[in-house]
Amino acid sequence: WDLGKFEGVSKHIGTAMKSVGEVMAIGRTWEESIQKALRMVDPNVKGFQSRGEVLSKDAIISEFHRPTDKRIFAIAQVLETGEISPEEVTKHS
């Protein structure tokens, strides 16, 4: 979701989200599909990689518990840096 283009909208992702657009990404693997989907949402995104400010471990865990449109980039950050294991990502999200 690219919620940044809507002023004053909550970035919290819940079960009652309104439609803000969607992408369709077809690939041979899940990894290829998610890369395509991320690039379709915002042309400035190069794919599944961290983006923006570097978050602290507490901020990342908070992002996992209360997901926003930036959650996937928080996951990318911890997988790139190794500060949280994939198992911990799964546990917290």
Side-chain angles (χ1 to χ4, degrees):
W1 297 272
D2 182 13
L3 301 176
K5 61 186 169 189
F6 300 104
E7 289 185 33
V9 69
S10 169
K11 294 187 181 215
H12 179 258
I13 298 174
T15 57
M17 288 296 293
K18 303 288 187 221
S19 175
V20 295
E22 60 186 42
V23 296
M24 183 162 99
I26 299 171
R28 292 182 193 99
T29 63
W30 182 87
E31 291 85 355
E32 182 181 355
S33 297
I34 196 72
Q35 292 280 31
K36 288 180 178 182
L38 287 168
R39 289 192 307 263
M40 290 295 293
V41 169
D42 182 348
N44 294 320
V45 173
K46 294 180 178 143
F48 183 71
Q49 63 185 35
S50 58
R51 183 170 186 222
E53 67 180 89
V54 176
L55 302 173
S56 69
K57 186 173 180 176
D58 290 338
I60 290 167
I61 291 174
S62 176
E63 185 71 32
F64 292 165
H65 290 282
R66 184 183 162 103
T68 70
D69 57 329
K70 305 299 181 215
R71 180 189 220 185
I72 195 153
F73 302 114
I75 293 170
Q77 177 187 318
V78 298
L79 294 178
E80 285 175 8
T81 62
E83 61 188 303
I84 297 178
S85 70
E87 292 77 18
E88 286 183 274
V89 171
T90 300
K91 177 181 139 190
H92 291 295
S93 59

Coordinates of all heavy atoms in Angstrom, one line a residue:
W1 N 0.8 -1.2 0.0 CA 0.0 0.0 0.0 C 0.9 1.2 0.0 O 1.8 1.3 0.8 CB -0.9 0.0 1.2 CG -1.8 -1.1 1.3 CD1 -3.1 -1.2 0.8 CD2 -1.6 -2.4 2.0 NE1 -3.7 -2.4 1.1 CE2 -2.8 -3.1 1.8 CE3 -0.6 -2.9 2.7 CZ2 -3.0 -4.4 2.4 CZ3 -0.7 -4.2 3.2 CH2 -1.9 -4.9 3.0
D2 N 0.5 2.2 -0.8 CA 1.2 3.5 -0.8 C 0.3 4.5 -0.2 O -0.4 5.2 -0.8 CB 1.6 3.9 -2.2 CG 2.4 5.2 -2.3 OD1 2.9 5.6 -1.2 OD2 2.5 5.8 -3.3
L3 N 0.4 4.5 1.2 CA -0.5 5.4 1.9 C 0.0 6.8 2.0 O -0.7 7.8 2.5 CB -0.8 4.9 3.3 CG -1.5 3.5 3.3 CD1 -1.6 3.0 4.7 CD2 -2.8 3.5 2.6
G4 N 1.3 7.0 1.6 CA 1.9 8.3 1.7 C 1.3 9.4 0.8 O 1.4 10.6 1.1
K5 N 0.6 9.0 -0.2 CA 0.0 10.0 -1.1 C -1.3 10.5 -0.6 O -1.9 11.4 -1.2 CB -0.1 9.4 -2.5 CG -1.0 8.2 -2.6 CD -1.0 7.6 -4.0 CE -1.6 6.2 -4.0 NZ -1.4 5.6 -5.3
F6 N -1.8 10.0 0.5 CA -3.1 10.5 1.1 C -2.8 11.2 2.4 O -2.3 10.7 3.4 CB -4.0 9.3 1.4 CG -4.4 8.5 0.2 CD1 -3.8 7.3 -0.1 CD2 -5.3 9.0 -0.8 CE1 -4.0 6.5 -1.2 CE2 -5.6 8.2 -1.9 CZ -5.0 7.0 -2.1
E7 N -3.2 12.5 2.4 CA -2.9 13.3 3.6 C -3.9 13.0 4.7 O -5.1 12.8 4.5 CB -3.1 14.8 3.3 CG -2.0 15.4 2.4 CD -2.2 16.9 2.2 OE1 -2.7 17.6 3.1 OE2 -1.8 17.3 1.1
G8 N -3.4 12.9 5.9 CA -4.2 12.7 7.1 C -4.7 11.3 7.3 O -5.5 11.0 8.2
V9 N -4.3 10.3 6.5 CA -4.8 9.0 6.6 C -4.0 8.2 7.6 O -2.8 8.4 7.7 CB -4.9 8.2 5.2 CG1 -3.5 8.0 4.7 CG2 -5.7 7.0 5.3
S10 N -4.6 7.3 8.4 CA -3.9 6.4 9.3 C -3.1 5.4 8.5 O -3.6 4.8 7.5 CB -4.8 5.7 10.2 OG -4.2 4.7 10.9
K11 N -1.8 5.2 8.9 CA -1.0 4.2 8.2 C -1.1 2.9 8.8 O -0.4 1.9 8.3 CB 0.4 4.7 8.1 CG 0.6 6.0 7.3 CD 2.0 6.4 7.1 CE 2.0 7.7 6.3 NZ 3.0 7.8 5.4
H12 N -1.9 2.7 9.8 CA -2.1 1.4 10.5 C -2.9 0.5 9.5 O -3.9 0.9 9.0 CB -2.9 1.6 11.8 CG -3.1 0.3 12.5 ND1 -4.3 -0.3 12.4 CD2 -2.3 -0.5 13.2 CE1 -4.3 -1.5 13.1 NE2 -3.0 -1.6 13.5
I13 N -2.4 -0.7 9.3 CA -3.1 -1.6 8.4 C -3.9 -2.6 9.2 O -3.4 -3.3 10.1 CB -2.0 -2.4 7.6 CG1 -1.3 -1.5 6.7 CG2 -2.7 -3.5 6.7 CD1 -0.1 -2.1 6.0
G14 N -5.2 -2.6 9.0 CA -6.1 -3.5 9.7 C -7.0 -4.2 8.8 O -6.9 -4.3 7.6
T15 N -8.0 -4.9 9.4 CA -8.9 -5.7 8.6 C -10.0 -4.9 7.9 O -10.6 -5.5 7.0 CB -9.6 -6.7 9.6 OG1 -10.3 -6.0 10.6 CG2 -8.7 -7.6 10.2
A16 N -10.1 -3.6 8.2 CA -11.1 -2.8 7.5 C -10.5 -1.8 6.6 O -11.0 -0.6 6.5 CB -12.0 -2.1 8.6
M17 N -9.4 -2.1 6.0 CA -8.8 -1.1 5.1 C -9.7 -0.8 3.9 O -10.4 -1.7 3.3 CB -7.5 -1.7 4.5 CG -6.4 -1.8 5.6 SD -5.9 -0.2 6.2 CE -5.1 0.5 4.7
K18 N -9.6 0.4 3.5 CA -10.2 0.8 2.2 C -9.3 0.6 1.1 O -8.1 0.5 1.3 CB -10.6 2.3 2.3 CG -11.4 2.7 3.4 CD -12.8 2.2 3.2 CE -13.7 2.7 4.3 NZ -14.7 1.8 4.8
S19 N -9.8 0.4 -0.1 CA -8.9 0.2 -1.2 C -8.1 1.4 -1.6 O -8.7 2.5 -1.8 CB -9.7 -0.3 -2.4 OG -8.9 -0.4 -3.5
V20 N -6.8 1.3 -1.7 CA -6.0 2.4 -2.1 C -5.2 2.0 -3.3 O -4.2 2.7 -3.7 CB -5.0 2.9 -1.0 CG1 -5.7 3.4 0.2 CG2 -4.1 1.7 -0.5
G21 N -5.6 1.0 -4.0 CA -4.9 0.5 -5.1 C -4.3 -0.8 -4.9 O -4.2 -1.3 -3.8
E22 N -3.9 -1.5 -6.0 CA -3.4 -2.8 -5.8 C -2.4 -3.0 -7.0 O -2.4 -2.3 -7.9 CB -4.5 -3.9 -5.9 CG -5.3 -3.8 -7.1 CD -6.5 -4.8 -7.1 OE1 -7.1 -4.9 -6.1 OE2 -6.7 -5.5 -8.1
V23 N -1.6 -4.0 -6.8 CA -0.7 -4.4 -7.9 C -0.9 -5.9 -8.2 O -1.4 -6.6 -7.4 CB 0.8 -4.2 -7.5 CG1 1.0 -2.7 -7.3 CG2 1.2 -5.0 -6.3
M24 N -0.5 -6.2 -9.4 CA -0.5 -7.7 -9.7 C 0.9 -8.0 -10.2 O 1.4 -7.3 -11.1 CB -1.5 -8.0 -10.8 CG -1.6 -9.5 -11.1 SD -3.0 -9.9 -12.0 CE -2.4 -10.0 -13.7
A25 N 1.5 -8.9 -9.6 CA 2.9 -9.2 -10.0 C 3.0 -10.8 -10.2 O 2.7 -11.5 -9.2 CB 3.9 -8.8 -8.9
I26 N 3.3 -11.1 -11.4 CA 3.4 -12.6 -11.7 C 4.8 -12.9 -11.9 O 5.5 -12.2 -12.6 CB 2.5 -12.9 -12.9 CG1 1.1 -12.6 -12.7 CG2 2.7 -14.4 -13.3 CD1 0.2 -12.7 -13.9
G27 N 5.3 -13.9 -11.2 CA 6.7 -14.3 -11.4 C 6.8 -15.8 -11.2 O 5.8 -16.5 -10.9
R28 N 7.9 -16.3 -11.5 CA 8.2 -17.8 -11.3 C 8.3 -18.2 -9.9 O 8.1 -19.4 -9.6 CB 9.4 -18.2 -12.1 CG 9.3 -18.0 -13.6 CD 10.6 -18.5 -14.3 NE 10.5 -18.0 -15.7 CZ 11.1 -17.0 -16.2 NH1 11.9 -16.2 -15.4 NH2 11.0 -16.6 -17.4
T29 N 8.6 -17.2 -9.0 CA 8.8 -17.5 -7.6 C 8.1 -16.4 -6.8 O 7.8 -15.4 -7.3 CB 10.3 -17.6 -7.2 OG1 10.8 -16.3 -7.4 CG2 11.1 -18.6 -8.0
W30 N 7.9 -16.7 -5.5 CA 7.4 -15.7 -4.6 C 8.3 -14.5 -4.5 O 7.8 -13.3 -4.6 CB 7.1 -16.3 -3.2 CG 6.5 -15.3 -2.3 CD1 5.2 -15.0 -2.1 CD2 7.2 -14.4 -1.4 NE1 5.0 -14.0 -1.2 CE2 6.3 -13.6 -0.7 CE3 8.6 -14.1 -1.2 CZ2 6.6 -12.6 0.2 CZ3 8.9 -13.1 -0.3 CH2 7.9 -12.4 0.4
E31 N 9.6 -14.7 -4.5 CA 10.6 -13.7 -4.4 C 10.5 -12.7 -5.6 O 10.5 -11.5 -5.5 CB 12.0 -14.2 -4.3 CG 12.2 -14.9 -2.9 CD 11.8 -16.4 -2.9 OE1 11.2 -16.9 -3.9 OE2 12.1 -17.1 -1.9
E32 N 10.4 -13.3 -6.8 CA 10.3 -12.5 -8.0 C 9.0 -11.7 -8.0 O 9.0 -10.5 -8.3 CB 10.3 -13.4 -9.2 CG 10.3 -12.6 -10.5 CD 10.3 -13.6 -11.8 OE1 10.5 -14.8 -11.6 OE2 10.1 -13.0 -12.9
S33 N 7.9 -12.3 -7.5 CA 6.6 -11.6 -7.5 C 6.6 -10.4 -6.5 O 6.1 -9.4 -6.8 CB 5.5 -12.6 -7.2 OG 5.4 -13.6 -8.1
I34 N 7.2 -10.6 -5.3 CA 7.2 -9.5 -4.4 C 8.1 -8.4 -4.8 O 7.7 -7.2 -4.6 CB 7.6 -10.0 -2.9 CG1 7.2 -9.0 -1.9 CG2 9.0 -10.3 -2.8 CD1 5.7 -8.8 -1.6
Q35 N 9.2 -8.7 -5.5 CA 10.0 -7.7 -6.1 C 9.2 -6.8 -7.1 O 9.3 -5.6 -7.1 CB 11.3 -8.3 -6.7 CG 12.2 -8.9 -5.8 CD 13.1 -7.9 -5.1 OE1 12.8 -6.8 -4.9 NE2 14.3 -8.4 -4.8
K36 N 8.5 -7.5 -8.0 CA 7.8 -6.8 -9.0 C 6.7 -5.9 -8.3 O 6.4 -4.8 -8.7 CB 7.1 -7.8 -10.0 CG 8.1 -8.4 -10.9 CD 7.4 -9.4 -11.8 CE 8.4 -10.0 -12.8 NZ 7.7 -10.8 -13.8
A37 N 6.0 -6.5 -7.3 CA 4.9 -5.8 -6.7 C 5.4 -4.5 -6.0 O 4.8 -3.5 -6.1 CB 4.2 -6.7 -5.7
L38 N 6.5 -4.6 -5.3 CA 7.1 -3.5 -4.6 C 7.5 -2.4 -5.6 O 7.2 -1.2 -5.4 CB 8.3 -3.9 -3.8 CG 8.0 -4.6 -2.5 CD1 9.2 -5.2 -1.9 CD2 7.2 -3.7 -1.5
R39 N 8.0 -2.8 -6.7 CA 8.4 -1.8 -7.7 C 7.2 -1.1 -8.4 O 7.3 0.0 -8.8 CB 9.3 -2.4 -8.8 CG 10.7 -2.7 -8.2 CD 11.7 -3.1 -9.3 NE 11.3 -4.2 -10.2 CZ 11.6 -5.4 -10.0 NH1 12.4 -5.8 -9.1 NH2 11.1 -6.3 -10.9
M40 N 6.1 -1.9 -8.5 CA 4.9 -1.3 -9.1 C 4.2 -0.3 -8.2 O 3.6 0.7 -8.7 CB 3.9 -2.4 -9.4 CG 4.3 -3.4 -10.5 SD 4.4 -2.5 -12.1 CE 2.7 -2.2 -12.3
V41 N 4.3 -0.4 -6.9 CA 3.7 0.5 -5.9 C 4.3 1.9 -6.0 O 3.7 2.9 -6.0 CB 3.7 -0.1 -4.5 CG1 3.3 1.0 -3.5 CG2 2.8 -1.3 -4.3
D42 N 5.6 1.9 -6.1 CA 6.4 3.1 -6.1 C 7.6 2.9 -7.0 O 8.5 2.1 -6.7 CB 6.8 3.5 -4.7 CG 7.6 4.8 -4.6 OD1 7.9 5.4 -5.7 OD2 7.8 5.3 -3.5
P43 N 7.7 3.7 -8.1 CA 8.8 3.5 -9.0 C 10.2 3.8 -8.4 O 11.2 3.4 -8.9 CB 8.6 4.6 -10.1 CG 7.1 4.9 -10.0 CD 6.7 4.7 -8.6
N44 N 10.2 4.5 -7.2 CA 11.5 4.8 -6.5 C 12.0 3.6 -5.7 O 13.1 3.6 -5.2 CB 11.3 6.0 -5.6 CG 11.1 7.3 -6.4 OD1 11.7 7.5 -7.5 ND2 10.2 8.1 -5.9
V45 N 11.1 2.6 -5.5 CA 11.5 1.4 -4.8 C 12.2 0.5 -5.7 O 11.7 0.1 -6.8 CB 10.3 0.8 -4.1 CG1 10.6 -0.6 -3.5 CG2 9.6 1.7 -3.1
K46 N 13.4 0.0 -5.3 CA 14.1 -0.9 -6.2 C 13.7 -2.3 -6.0 O 14.2 -3.2 -6.7 CB 15.6 -0.7 -6.0 CG 16.1 0.7 -6.4 CD 17.5 0.9 -6.2 CE 17.9 2.2 -6.7 NZ 18.9 2.9 -5.9
G47 N 13.0 -2.6 -4.9 CA 12.6 -4.0 -4.6 C 12.6 -4.2 -3.1 O 12.5 -3.3 -2.3
F48 N 12.7 -5.4 -2.7 CA 12.7 -5.8 -1.3 C 14.1 -5.5 -0.7 O 15.0 -6.3 -0.7 CB 12.4 -7.3 -1.2 CG 12.3 -7.8 0.3 CD1 11.3 -7.4 1.0 CD2 13.3 -8.6 0.8 CE1 11.1 -7.8 2.4 CE2 13.2 -9.0 2.1 CZ 12.1 -8.6 2.9
Q49 N 14.2 -4.3 -0.2 CA 15.4 -3.8 0.5 C 14.9 -2.7 1.5 O 13.8 -2.2 1.4 CB 16.4 -3.3 -0.4 CG 15.9 -2.0 -1.2 CD 17.0 -1.6 -2.2 OE1 17.6 -2.4 -2.8 NE2 17.1 -0.3 -2.4
S50 N 15.8 -2.5 2.5 CA 15.4 -1.4 3.5 C 15.3 -0.1 2.8 O 15.9 0.1 1.7 CB 16.4 -1.4 4.6 OG 17.7 -1.1 4.1
R51 N 14.5 0.8 3.4 CA 14.3 2.1 2.7 C 14.0 3.1 3.8 O 13.4 2.8 4.8 CB 13.0 1.9 1.9 CG 12.7 3.2 1.1 CD 11.7 2.9 0.1 NE 11.5 4.1 -0.7 CZ 10.3 4.6 -1.1 NH1 9.2 4.0 -0.8 NH2 10.3 5.7 -1.8
G52 N 14.5 4.3 3.6 CA 14.3 5.4 4.6 C 15.2 5.3 5.8 O 16.3 4.7 5.7
E53 N 14.8 5.8 6.9 CA 15.6 5.9 8.1 C 15.9 4.5 8.6 O 15.0 3.6 8.5 CB 15.0 6.8 9.1 CG 13.7 6.3 9.7 CD 13.2 7.2 10.8 OE1 12.4 8.0 10.4 OE2 13.5 7.0 12.0
V54 N 17.0 4.3 9.2 CA 17.3 3.0 9.9 C 16.6 3.0 11.2 O 16.7 3.9 12.0 CB 18.9 2.9 10.1 CG1 19.2 1.6 10.9 CG2 19.6 2.9 8.8
L55 N 15.8 2.0 11.4 CA 15.0 1.9 12.6 C 15.7 1.1 13.7 O 16.5 0.2 13.5 CB 13.7 1.1 12.3 CG 12.8 1.7 11.2 CD1 11.6 0.8 10.9 CD2 12.3 3.1 11.7
S56 N 15.4 1.5 15.0 CA 16.0 0.8 16.1 C 15.3 -0.6 16.2 O 14.2 -0.8 15.7 CB 15.8 1.5 17.4 OG 14.4 1.6 17.7
K57 N 15.9 -1.5 17.0 CA 15.3 -2.8 17.2 C 13.9 -2.7 17.8 O 12.9 -3.4 17.4 CB 16.2 -3.7 18.0 CG 15.6 -5.2 18.1 CD 16.6 -6.1 18.8 CE 16.1 -7.5 18.9 NZ 17.0 -8.4 19.5
D58 N 13.7 -1.8 18.8 CA 12.4 -1.6 19.4 C 11.4 -1.1 18.4 O 10.2 -1.5 18.4 CB 12.5 -0.6 20.6 CG 13.2 -1.3 21.8 OD1 13.3 -2.5 21.9 OD2 13.8 -0.5 22.6
A59 N 11.8 -0.1 17.5 CA 10.9 0.4 16.5 C 10.5 -0.6 15.5 O 9.3 -0.7 15.1 CB 11.6 1.6 15.8
I60 N 11.4 -1.5 15.2 CA 11.1 -2.6 14.2 C 10.1 -3.6 14.8 O 9.1 -3.9 14.2 CB 12.4 -3.3 13.8 CG1 13.2 -2.4 12.9 CG2 12.1 -4.6 13.1 CD1 14.7 -2.9 12.7
I61 N 10.3 -4.0 16.1 CA 9.4 -4.9 16.7 C 8.0 -4.3 16.9 O 7.0 -4.9 16.7 CB 10.0 -5.4 18.1 CG1 11.2 -6.3 17.8 CG2 8.9 -6.1 18.9 CD1 11.9 -6.8 19.0
S62 N 8.0 -3.0 17.2 CA 6.7 -2.2 17.2 C 6.0 -2.3 15.9 O 4.8 -2.4 15.8 CB 7.0 -0.8 17.7 OG 5.8 0.0 17.6
E63 N 6.8 -2.1 14.8 CA 6.3 -2.1 13.4 C 5.7 -3.5 13.1 O 4.7 -3.6 12.5 CB 7.4 -1.8 12.4 CG 6.9 -1.7 11.0 CD 6.1 -0.5 10.7 OE1 6.3 0.5 11.3 OE2 5.2 -0.6 9.8
F64 N 6.3 -4.6 13.6 CA 5.8 -5.9 13.4 C 4.5 -6.1 14.1 O 3.6 -6.8 13.6 CB 6.8 -7.0 13.9 CG 8.1 -7.0 13.1 CD1 9.2 -7.7 13.6 CD2 8.2 -6.5 11.9 CE1 10.3 -7.8 12.9 CE2 9.3 -6.5 11.2 CZ 10.4 -7.2 11.7
H65 N 4.3 -5.6 15.4 CA 3.1 -5.7 16.1 C 2.0 -4.8 15.7 O 0.8 -5.2 15.8 CB 3.4 -5.5 17.6 CG 4.2 -6.6 18.2 ND1 3.7 -7.8 18.6 CD2 5.6 -6.6 18.5 CE1 4.7 -8.5 19.1 NE2 5.8 -7.9 19.1
R66 N 2.3 -3.7 15.1 CA 1.3 -2.7 14.6 C 1.7 -2.4 13.2 O 2.3 -1.4 13.0 CB 1.2 -1.5 15.5 CG 0.1 -0.6 15.1 CD 0.1 0.7 16.0 NE -0.6 1.7 15.3 CZ -1.8 2.1 15.7 NH1 -2.4 1.5 16.7 NH2 -2.4 3.1 15.0
P67 N 1.3 -3.2 12.3 CA 1.8 -3.1 10.9 C 1.3 -1.8 10.2 O 0.2 -1.4 10.4 CB 1.3 -4.3 10.2 CG 0.2 -4.8 11.0 CD 0.4 -4.4 12.4
T68 N 2.2 -1.2 9.4 CA 1.9 -0.1 8.6 C 2.3 -0.4 7.2 O 2.8 -1.5 6.9 CB 2.6 1.2 9.1 OG1 4.0 1.1 8.8 CG2 2.4 1.5 10.6
D69 N 2.2 0.6 6.3 CA 2.7 0.4 4.9 C 4.2 0.3 4.8 O 4.7 0.0 3.7 CB 2.1 1.6 4.0 CG 2.6 2.9 4.5 OD1 2.8 3.1 5.7 OD2 2.7 3.8 3.7
K70 N 4.9 0.6 5.9 CA 6.4 0.5 5.8 C 6.9 -0.8 6.5 O 8.1 -1.1 6.5 CB 7.0 1.6 6.6 CG 6.5 3.0 6.1 CD 6.9 3.2 4.6 CE 6.5 4.6 4.2 NZ 6.1 4.6 2.8
R71 N 6.0 -1.7 6.9 CA 6.4 -3.0 7.5 C 7.4 -3.8 6.7 O 8.4 -4.3 7.2 CB 5.2 -3.8 7.9 CG 5.5 -5.1 8.6 CD 4.2 -5.9 8.7 NE 4.2 -6.6 9.9 CZ 3.2 -7.5 10.3 NH1 2.3 -7.8 9.4 NH2 3.2 -8.1 11.4
I72 N 7.1 -3.9 5.4 CA 7.9 -4.8 4.6 C 9.4 -4.3 4.5 O 10.3 -5.0 4.4 CB 7.3 -5.0 3.2 CG1 8.0 -6.2 2.5 CG2 7.4 -3.8 2.4 CD1 7.2 -6.9 1.5
F73 N 9.5 -2.9 4.6 CA 10.9 -2.4 4.5 C 11.6 -2.6 5.9 O 12.8 -2.7 5.9 CB 10.8 -0.9 4.2 CG 10.1 -0.7 2.9 CD1 8.9 0.0 2.8 CD2 10.7 -1.2 1.7 CE1 8.3 0.2 1.5 CE2 10.1 -1.0 0.5 CZ 8.9 -0.3 0.4
A74 N 10.8 -2.7 7.0 CA 11.4 -3.0 8.3 C 11.9 -4.4 8.3 O 13.0 -4.7 8.8 CB 10.4 -2.8 9.4
I75 N 11.1 -5.3 7.7 CA 11.5 -6.7 7.6 C 12.8 -6.8 6.7 O 13.8 -7.5 7.1 CB 10.4 -7.6 6.9 CG1 9.2 -7.6 7.9 CG2 10.9 -9.0 6.6 CD1 8.0 -8.3 7.3
A76 N 12.8 -6.1 5.6 CA 14.0 -6.1 4.8 C 15.3 -5.6 5.5 O 16.3 -6.2 5.4 CB 13.8 -5.2 3.5
Q77 N 15.1 -4.5 6.4 CA 16.2 -4.0 7.1 C 16.8 -5.1 8.0 O 18.0 -5.3 8.1 CB 15.8 -2.8 8.0 CG 16.9 -2.3 8.8 CD 16.5 -1.2 9.8 OE1 15.7 -0.3 9.4 NE2 17.0 -1.2 11.0
V78 N 16.0 -5.8 8.8 CA 16.5 -6.7 9.8 C 17.1 -7.9 9.1 O 18.1 -8.5 9.6 CB 15.5 -7.1 10.8 CG1 15.1 -6.0 11.7 CG2 14.3 -7.9 10.3
L79 N 16.6 -8.3 7.9 CA 17.1 -9.4 7.2 C 18.5 -9.1 6.6 O 19.4 -9.9 6.5 CB 16.2 -10.0 6.2 CG 14.9 -10.6 6.7 CD1 14.0 -11.1 5.6 CD2 15.2 -11.8 7.7
E80 N 18.6 -7.8 6.1 CA 19.9 -7.3 5.6 C 21.0 -7.2 6.7 O 22.1 -7.6 6.4 CB 19.7 -5.9 5.0 CG 19.0 -5.9 3.6 CD 18.7 -4.5 3.1 OE1 19.2 -3.5 3.7 OE2 18.0 -4.4 2.1
T81 N 20.6 -6.7 7.8 CA 21.6 -6.4 8.9 C 21.8 -7.7 9.8 O 22.8 -7.7 10.4 CB 21.1 -5.3 9.8 OG1 19.9 -5.6 10.4 CG2 21.0 -4.0 9.0
G82 N 20.9 -8.6 9.8 CA 21.0 -9.8 10.6 C 20.7 -9.5 12.1 O 20.9 -10.4 12.9
E83 N 20.2 -8.3 12.4 CA 19.9 -8.0 13.8 C 18.8 -8.7 14.4 O 18.7 -8.9 15.7 CB 19.8 -6.5 14.0 CG 18.6 -5.9 13.3 CD 18.6 -4.4 13.4 OE1 18.6 -3.8 14.5 OE2 18.6 -3.7 12.3
I84 N 17.9 -9.3 13.6 CA 16.8 -10.1 14.1 C 16.8 -11.3 13.1 O 16.8 -11.1 11.9 CB 15.4 -9.4 14.1 CG1 15.5 -8.2 15.1 CG2 14.3 -10.3 14.4 CD1 14.2 -7.4 15.1
S85 N 16.6 -12.5 13.7 CA 16.6 -13.7 12.8 C 15.3 -13.8 12.1 O 14.3 -13.3 12.6 CB 16.8 -14.9 13.7 OG 15.7 -15.2 14.5
P86 N 15.2 -14.6 11.0 CA 14.0 -14.8 10.4 C 12.9 -15.5 11.3 O 11.7 -15.1 11.2 CB 14.3 -15.8 9.2 CG 15.8 -15.5 8.9 CD 16.4 -15.1 10.3
E87 N 13.4 -16.3 12.2 CA 12.4 -16.9 13.2 C 11.8 -15.9 14.1 O 10.6 -15.9 14.4 CB 13.2 -18.0 14.0 CG 13.6 -19.2 13.2 CD 14.9 -19.0 12.4 OE1 15.6 -18.0 12.6 OE2 15.0 -19.8 11.4
E88 N 12.6 -14.9 14.5 CA 12.1 -13.8 15.3 C 11.1 -12.9 14.6 O 10.1 -12.4 15.1 CB 13.2 -12.9 15.9 CG 14.0 -13.6 17.0 CD 15.1 -12.6 17.5 OE1 16.2 -12.6 17.0 OE2 14.8 -11.9 18.5
V89 N 11.4 -12.7 13.3 CA 10.5 -11.9 12.4 C 9.2 -12.6 12.4 O 8.1 -12.0 12.6 CB 11.1 -11.7 11.0 CG1 10.0 -11.1 10.1 CG2 12.3 -10.9 11.0
T90 N 9.2 -13.9 12.2 CA 8.0 -14.7 12.2 C 7.2 -14.6 13.5 O 6.0 -14.4 13.6 CB 8.3 -16.2 11.8 OG1 8.9 -16.2 10.5 CG2 7.0 -17.0 11.8
K91 N 8.0 -14.8 14.6 CA 7.4 -14.7 15.9 C 6.7 -13.4 16.2 O 5.6 -13.4 16.8 CB 8.5 -15.0 17.0 CG 8.0 -14.9 18.4 CD 9.2 -15.2 19.3 CE 9.1 -14.2 20.5 NZ 10.3 -14.2 21.3
H92 N 7.3 -12.3 15.9 CA 6.8 -11.0 16.2 C 5.7 -10.5 15.2 O 5.0 -9.6 15.5 CB 7.9 -9.9 16.2 CG 8.8 -10.1 17.4 ND1 8.4 -10.0 18.7 CD2 10.1 -10.5 17.5 CE1 9.4 -10.2 19.5 NE2 10.5 -10.5 18.8
S93 N 5.7 -11.1 14.0 CA 4.7 -10.6 13.0 C 3.6 -11.7 12.9 O 2.6 -11.5 12.3 CB 5.4 -10.3 11.7 OG 6.0 -11.4 11.2

